[in-house]
Amino acid sequence: MALRSNPPAEPEAELPEPAAPRAGAALTGRGLRLGYGSRVVADELDLAITGGRVTALVGPNACGKSTALRALARLLKPTAGVVHLDGTDIQELPARALAQRLALLPQTPTAPDGITVRDLVARGRTPHQRWWRQWSREDELVVDAALAATGSAELAERSIDELSGGQRQRVWIAMALAQDTDVLLLDEPTTYLDLAHQVDVLELVVGRNRDRGTTVVMVLHELNLACRYADHLVAMRDGAVVAAGPPAEVVTPELVEDVFGLRATVIECPVAGTPLVIPEGGRRVGPTGG
């Protein structure tokens, strides 16, 4: 498949105008049984992702967050239950149609050896191409915009193999943005990033939501960042949803102890006004508070 049949855009080319906001797509999972082989990770799991909002899945390691995200993305087929995208069973959608509506940044993405940053990001445009419409000027501008938005433009002609972990993560996010979908699923998007770049990435995806109406679902380990940047939290433990709702309603000392086995004080962040979790050092408890 030719990724780019036209010459690269001239440096002085203008980036495309921001698209008008569009209604974000809703994702729902009902009665999901998820697992790998004989190992069941979640059973009778219900998830409700409201369209046009930023949702964060939070919880301890191995609680089923990434597994649930894979099911929402159709990378993992439930052995029971169904996932709907705006009321349609995602198993019934053609692969190209689904890729035009839903983009996923997995936890450990892989790239072909030697591929350049620009060509990797350009692969995000593949679902929008046909045999009669290959690489276009619009595709070039969308890729340029995604590279610029993630601070990766200066890396465009470098091999992905040469980059640091943080640089690679920004490039993968650029590829997901270039796919230009109604739904953006991100599995630990701040992995490998320093604090400043973590904030940059989260502000970028939240801005995408605000400007474009994109439905964003993120798996995040940093609870305070989840509280600050998500409209809606889904707290999971042992493959089940323990609590869901706005961060101010979900994140309490009791919830932190119950889900994370950590005694903590929760205060209002003086900057954002969102919940701020302050661990009480040396007072880790069992996952159910015992």
Side-chain angles (χ1 to χ4, degrees):
M1 178 189 67
L3 288 177
R4 189 173 53 187
S5 57
N6 291 344
E10 297 82 359
E12 66 273 12
E14 294 183 1
L15 298 181
E17 291 294 324
R22 54 199 182 198
L27 276 168
T28 58
R30 292 287 179 263
L32 302 178
R33 182 182 300 124
L34 307 173
Y36 306 94
S38 61
R39 183 170 68 92
V40 176
V41 175
D43 197 11
E44 292 296 321
L45 176 65
D46 291 335
L47 287 170
I49 308 299
T50 302
R53 296 169 71 181
V54 178
T55 297
L57 306 183
V58 299
N61 291 337
C63 72
K65 302 184 301 295
S66 294
T67 298
L69 198 74
R70 286 171 57 84
L72 294 177
R74 205 172 75 176
L75 289 185
L76 179 64
K77 185 175 182 178
T79 56
V82 63
V83 174
H84 286 109
L85 175 61
D86 273 349
T88 301
D89 184 345
I90 63 168
Q91 299 296 332
E92 298 177 356
L93 290 170
R96 183 182 295 273
L98 182 62
Q100 289 174 345
R101 300 199 61 195
L102 185 151
L104 170 70
L105 173 64
Q107 194 173 116
T108 54
T110 57
D113 292 339
I115 192 170
T116 67
V117 166
R118 177 175 289 278
D119 282 342
L120 181 64
V121 175
R123 292 193 170 201
R125 302 302 300 160
T126 302
H128 302 281
Q129 296 175 350
R130 298 290 192 277
W131 66 267
W132 68 87
R133 179 196 177 278
Q134 293 296 309
W135 192 257
S136 70
R137 178 65 169 167
E138 178 187 355
D139 293 321
E140 194 75 41
L141 293 174
V142 170
V143 169
D144 286 344
L147 288 167
T150 55
S152 305
E154 71 278 7
L155 307 173
E157 303 310 321
R158 292 177 60 182
S159 167
I160 194 76
D161 301 328
E162 302 173 8
L163 305 184
S164 69
Q167 289 172 325
R168 290 188 190 194
Q169 191 73 350
R170 286 155 51 201
V171 171
W172 283 111
I173 292 170
M175 177 180 168
L177 294 181
Q179 199 169 328
D180 192 26
T181 56
D182 298 327
V183 180
L184 187 58
L185 307 180
L186 305 168
D187 196 351
E188 300 185 30
T190 56
T191 298
Y192 305 119
L193 301 179
D194 59 39
L195 182 58
H197 281 111
Q198 289 179 36
V199 171
D200 286 345
V201 163
L202 293 174
E203 291 188 347
L204 172 65
V205 297
V206 168
R208 188 80 165 193
N209 164 262
R210 303 292 184 258
D211 297 340
R212 307 285 295 275
T214 305
T215 301
V216 177
V217 187
M218 304 182 288
V219 170
L220 289 177
H221 276 297
E222 176 49 65
L223 187 55
N224 287 329
L225 288 178
C227 289
R228 180 162 182 169
Y229 288 101
D231 304 312
H232 190 80
L233 291 187
V234 177
M236 297 184 62
R237 187 194 66 209
D238 298 330
V241 174
V242 176
E249 296 178 9
V250 169
V251 179
T252 64
E254 294 76 18
L255 183 283
V256 174
E257 184 170 332
D258 183 35
V259 171
F260 295 93
L262 181 69
R263 290 178 181 153
T265 297
V266 179
I267 65 173
E268 182 179 294
C269 174
V271 174
T274 53
L276 183 64
V277 178
I278 303 174
E280 298 177 10
R283 301 188 65 187
R284 185 175 177 83
V285 295
T288 59

